[in-house]
Amino acid sequence: MAARLCVVERVAGTATTEFGAPDGRPAADGAPVTAAVAGRHTRLLRAAWAAFDTYAATAPESLRKGPRGGGRDRDTMIDHVVGAETAYARKIGVKHRQPPINDRTAIGALRDDIIATLDQTGDGGPLTGNGWTARYAARRFVWHVLDHLWEMQDRSP
């Protein structure tokens, strides 16, 4: 039997959602974060990072160009993902300089601090004054990593 889905809330889009990135924040994002929810978020994010890193380690340096003739090659894409993680981390109160893509120790430290922050229980409010909720942050981090994993896979020969 097929799963049945039920729409529980609609969220207005923005220029970001028009581009294809998650940006709408449903009311559910403000729900308290339990230990079970925090654990689910961090397991999903660790799995996304593991899949991305594993594929990136074997992907060709030069990737097939996109339909309009452009697109990042492997190392530029990895740099973009790590750069986005560095910027997103600030939205949850984690401040690091963007590490170079070959500095696995610094990337690991950044990701460890992200996980430590998202692995905490909380009231569901933003994690910094003008930042993101844990639920939104987890969704945005995971989406971005997987989006570029799939792009790298699609553009590999």
Side-chain angles (χ1 to χ4, degrees):
M1 180 173 167
R4 297 189 70 172
L5 300 175
C6 177
V7 175
V8 296
E9 183 177 358
R10 295 188 186 277
V11 179
T14 65
T16 301
T17 54
E18 286 292 320
F19 178 71
D23 191 42
R25 293 174 179 95
D29 277 3
V33 176
T34 64
V37 168
R40 181 172 165 263
H41 289 164
T42 58
R43 285 190 305 277
L44 287 169
L45 184 50
R46 285 179 202 264
W49 280 330
F52 181 85
D53 292 345
T54 299
Y55 192 80
T58 62
E61 184 176 334
S62 181
L63 300 172
R64 189 173 58 249
K65 297 304 172 200
R68 294 185 305 269
R72 298 174 181 99
D73 283 326
R74 180 199 63 209
D75 290 351
T76 308
M77 193 179 301
I78 295 168
D79 186 63
H80 167 73
V81 169
V82 172
E85 290 170 8
T86 305
Y88 293 174
R90 291 184 183 102
K91 294 293 208 170
I92 61 170
V94 173
K95 295 180 181 173
H96 283 252
R97 291 185 185 272
Q98 180 177 340
I101 65 171
N102 62 349
D103 189 342
R104 300 308 305 164
T105 301
I107 292 169
L110 169 65
R111 289 176 173 179
D112 286 347
D113 286 351
I114 291 166
I115 291 295
T117 300
L118 293 179
D119 202 28
Q120 298 177 26
T121 60
D123 64 6
L127 299 176
T128 63
N130 195 24
W132 292 345
T133 66
R135 291 172 189 271
Y136 178 76
R139 184 170 60 251
R140 184 67 178 255
F141 274 103
V142 170
W143 164 80
H144 192 254
V145 171
L146 292 179
D147 184 57
H148 288 291
L149 165 63
W150 296 330
E151 178 186 4
M152 196 179 302
Q153 290 171 331
D154 286 346
R155 294 184 40 233
S156 291

